[in-house]
Amino acid sequence: MATPADMSHAMLIAILMHHGGAMEIPAGAFDRDAIGGMDGSFHAVAMEPLPGTGTIRISVQPRPAGDDGGITRI
């Protein structure tokens, strides 16, 4: 079974491949408050299929503290 880290990596690769293999983003996108919470943990990613479209929505979700905070598998 894929770990949360594996899934995050896979989602990043899928997004990059969909955009031709690379994207340019501002350096500020990696600022501490942009990628994580006050406790130093990174935000989580949610992935949900959109009915009838054949697409998946990937979105950032604030993550509860702890290594497995907020993880659910469908």
Side-chain angles (χ1 to χ4, degrees):
M1 179 173 280
T3 67
D6 293 337
M7 288 303 299
S8 292
H9 185 79
M11 284 184 245
L12 172 61
I13 297 299
I15 290 167
L16 289 172
M17 292 305 293
H18 180 74
H19 288 278
M23 292 178 70
E24 294 179 13
I25 60 174
F30 287 94
D31 287 349
R32 183 182 194 126
D33 63 342
I35 60 174
M38 297 294 288
D39 66 354
S41 66
F42 292 123
H43 291 312
V45 177
M47 183 171 63
E48 68 178 297
L50 299 176
T53 65
T55 60
I56 296 170
R57 174 180 289 135
I58 297 175
S59 59
V60 174
Q61 301 292 318
R63 191 184 106 152
D67 289 341
D68 293 325
I71 294 171
T72 59
R73 291 184 175 88
I74 298 173

